[in-house]
């Protein structure tokens, strides 16, 4: 096992655009970098489950099962479609209101960190691509001559840390985008873009093969 070699691979994979990273960007826009990082605990919990599943060999079994893979894929796609439809129809800016004459947004209700964590978890746990990742990529860095459990623990910890790095990058970018959102019309356009992305991701998920 070469943990140092795996670090750039883990960061590169975690930075790949997808539903969870877009969620981090969206959370950065609407709730701030800190809230987005806390919400990532949900994503990390979901991916940790997949890591355990892969470590005990169930990941390969899930990939081999057409029915199990299809169920996970459809549940994930339907959840993405629902998130997208809800965002598309929304005209609000997630508990924020514009300060008249200042062009700034302030919170008119507290951010529900529990809801953000739950959303990240559901996006992660219903994404079969994560199963493919952990079942296909991780074994390439496993040394058969060493205890597999320890190697999965080390590699998994590196990857999960990379998810926090990814969230920090996307959420910081989202926070900068927020500076340009100064009218309700822009909010509507942002919501439609968000909705379109989630629904598009749902469509791509349905096209995923094992």
């Amino acid at each position: 096992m070469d943990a140092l070699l795996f670090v750039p691979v883990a960061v590169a994979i975690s930075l790949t655009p997808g539903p969870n990273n877009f969620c981090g960007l969206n959370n950065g826009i609407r709730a701030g970098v800190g809230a987005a990082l806390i919400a990532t605990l949900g994503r990390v919990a979901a991916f940790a489950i997949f890591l355990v599943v892969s470590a005990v060999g169930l990941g390969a079994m899930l990939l081999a099962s057409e029915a199990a893979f299809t169920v996970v894929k459809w549940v994930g796609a339907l959840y993405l479609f629902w998130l997208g439809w809800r965002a598309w129809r929304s005209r609000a800016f997630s508990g924020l209101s514009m300060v008249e004459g200042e062009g700034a947004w302030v919170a008119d209700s507290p951010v529900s960190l529990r809801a953000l964590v739950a959303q990240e978890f559901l996006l992660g746990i219903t994404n079969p691509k994560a199963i493919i990742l952990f079942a296909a990529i991780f074994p390439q860095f496993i040394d058969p001559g060493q205890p597999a459990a320890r190697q999965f623990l080390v590699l998994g910890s590196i990857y999960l840390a990379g998810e926090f790095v990814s969230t920090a990058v996307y959420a910081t970018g989202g926070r900068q985008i927020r500076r340009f959102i100064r009218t309700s019309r822009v909010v509507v356009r942002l919501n439609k873009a968000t909705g379109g992305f989630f629904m598009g991701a749902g469509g791509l998920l349905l096209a995923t093969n094992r």
Side-chain angles (χ1 to χ4, degrees), residues 159-179:
Y159 180 78
L160 296 179
E163 288 295 334
F164 282 101
V165 173
S166 177
T167 296
V169 172
Y170 277 87
T172 300
R175 194 64 175 179
Q176 296 306 309
I177 292 174
R178 177 170 164 175
R179 296 166 54 193

Side-chain angles (χ1 to χ4, degrees), residues 49-206:
I49 292 173
F50 284 139
L51 280 169
V52 173
V53 166
S54 297
V56 299
L58 293 178
M61 292 175 60
L62 285 173
L63 287 176
S65 171
E66 181 72 35
F69 187 85
T70 300
V71 167
V72 174
K73 180 171 70 172
W74 272 95
V75 170
L78 290 174
Y79 182 59
L80 285 168
F81 284 136
W82 177 77
L83 286 177
W85 178 246
R86 189 178 66 170
W88 184 276
R89 296 183 60 193
S90 176
R91 302 182 64 84
F93 197 22
S94 299
L96 299 175
S97 59
M98 175 70 75
V99 177
E100 293 295 335
E102 296 184 13
W105 294 92
V106 296
D108 55 17
S109 62
V111 175
S112 174
L113 292 177
R114 180 178 299 181
L116 297 183
V117 171
Q119 185 181 65
E120 283 270 21
F121 177 81
L122 289 172
L123 283 172
I125 204 67
T126 57
N127 187 356
K129 289 185 178 180
I131 303 176
I132 297 174
L133 168 67
F134 296 132
I137 302 298
F138 270 52
Q140 299 182 38
F141 292 88
I142 297 295
D143 183 350
Q146 299 182 26
R150 176 180 174 276
Q151 295 181 77
F152 263 97
L153 178 61
V154 173
L155 295 177
S157 298
I158 292 173
Y159 180 78
L160 296 179
E163 288 295 334
F164 282 101
V165 173
S166 177
T167 296
V169 172
Y170 277 87
T172 300
R175 194 64 175 179
Q176 296 306 309
I177 292 174
R178 177 170 164 175
R179 296 166 54 193
F180 300 98
I181 303 173
R182 298 184 177 276
T183 67
S184 58
R185 179 177 297 180
V186 177
V187 170
V188 172
R189 289 176 179 173
L190 174 66
N191 289 340
K192 290 189 179 300
T194 300
F197 178 88
F198 279 129
M199 287 188 281
L204 289 175
L205 187 56
L206 288 179

